[in-house]
């Protein structure tokens, strides 16, 4: 009767959406943005972790 799996899935979904928004706002080339978005979409948890440590960041200037 626990909802731990559903809650974890929701948190991963929120993190993925946040990552995709940041990827699209970055100053990287469109091809690199596309590759990062595909990584996050097809490997939600692993892609999010890899993006967090090595991915492009959005421009906050």
């Amino acid at each position: 009767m626990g909802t731990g799996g559903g809650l974890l899935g929701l948190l991963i979904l929120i993190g993925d959406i946040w990552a995709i928004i940041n990827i699209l706002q970055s100053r990287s080339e469109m091809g690199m943005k596309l590759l990062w978005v595909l990584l996050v979409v097809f490997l939600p948890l692993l892609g999010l972790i890899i993006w967090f440590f090595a991915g492009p960041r959005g421009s906050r200037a």
Side-chain angles (χ1 to χ4, degrees):
M1 285 202 187
T3 59
L7 182 60
L8 181 61
L10 180 63
L11 291 174
I12 292 171
L13 177 64
I14 291 169
D16 285 346
I17 292 170
W18 177 65
I20 290 169
I21 290 169
N22 280 299
I23 291 167
L24 295 176
Q25 290 177 347
S26 73
R27 294 184 180 182
S28 296
E29 297 176 8
M30 189 53 77
M32 289 303 295
K33 288 181 184 182
L34 179 63
L35 289 175
W36 278 108
V37 168
L38 290 175
L39 178 71
V40 170
V41 168
F42 287 118
L43 301 171
L45 181 58
L46 184 60
L48 180 62
I49 293 169
I50 294 170
W51 168 80
F52 184 77
F53 289 109
R57 299 287 184 246
S59 59
R60 307 239 177 196

